[in-house]
Amino acid sequence: MIVVQLFLEFALLSFVAFGGATALLPEMHRVVVENHHWLSDTTFTHLYAIAQAAPGPNVLVVTLIGWEIAGLAGALATTLAMCLPMSVLIYLLIDRWESFAGKRWQKAISLGVSPLAVGLIFSGATLIAQAAQFGWAAWALVAATVVANLRSKLHPLWLIAVGAALGLAGLI
């Protein structure tokens, strides 16, 4: 029964996945940690960290959540639920959407979802930071990373290496 619940919960989430699975972190957290108590805060944060460290799409966090809750069946249910409903809807509507290309309302919708995606991703980042219980040093590293990323052409892997080194040194 839990597999069906997982599928239904994540299928609903898939319809608001503007910005990908990462943008849904606060809502996923609410569903699996706060509402159903399937995972703890710590486990949720660890699964997200593992998903981000692994190569591949950001939807991997959904698969890991399903795996942790209900094994292979849970992983398949959450992944299918996150990907299938919107894929089918887009497939059915893409020709219609393209026929409205250049219309003012279509441009307005496209422009409107961009800030929505940014806001959802920012709220997800805030959730992970709160669950990780950042201290002042971690927040300083976040600020330095944002500035370095925006003002330089430094590859993000160097920033990750600096964060890892600071963590290994016990400074974060």
Side-chain angles (χ1 to χ4, degrees):
M1 196 62 188
I2 196 168
V3 174
V4 173
Q5 281 183 293
L6 279 169
F7 184 87
L8 293 174
E9 291 283 5
F10 280 84
L12 286 174
L13 288 173
S14 77
F15 287 104
V16 292
F18 297 102
T22 303
L24 294 176
L25 281 177
E27 190 59 21
M28 281 191 275
H29 181 272
R30 187 185 65 74
V31 168
V32 301
V33 176
E34 296 171 15
N35 289 0
H36 294 289
H37 307 287
W38 289 327
L39 299 176
S40 69
D41 261 336
T42 304
T43 302
F44 185 87
T45 304
H46 288 169
L47 292 175
Y48 176 72
I50 291 167
Q52 291 303 299
N58 65 7
V59 76
L60 181 58
V61 68
V62 171
T63 307
L64 292 175
I65 288 170
W67 181 275
E68 185 69 23
I69 294 170
L72 180 59
L76 291 171
T78 53
T79 305
L80 279 174
M82 185 58 73
C83 299
L84 190 62
M86 277 308 287
S87 295
V88 170
L89 186 63
I90 296 294
Y91 177 77
L92 294 173
L93 295 178
I94 192 67
D95 289 337
R96 202 79 177 122
W97 180 256
E98 292 299 322
S99 71
F100 295 116
K103 301 281 187 201
R104 186 175 171 182
W105 65 268
Q106 189 205 39
K107 289 178 184 177
I109 290 173
S110 296
L111 289 172
V113 286
S114 297
L116 173 67
V118 171
L120 289 170
I121 291 169
F122 181 73
S123 66
T126 303
L127 174 84
I128 294 299
Q130 289 170 343
Q133 299 174 352
F134 279 10
W136 68 269
W139 283 112
L141 179 59
V142 168
T145 302
V146 168
V147 169
N149 196 36
L150 292 174
R151 300 213 182 252
S152 74
K153 294 187 185 247
L154 197 60
H155 195 283
L157 285 176
W158 289 111
L159 301 173
I160 292 169
V162 167
L166 291 171
L168 283 172
L171 299 172
I172 302 293

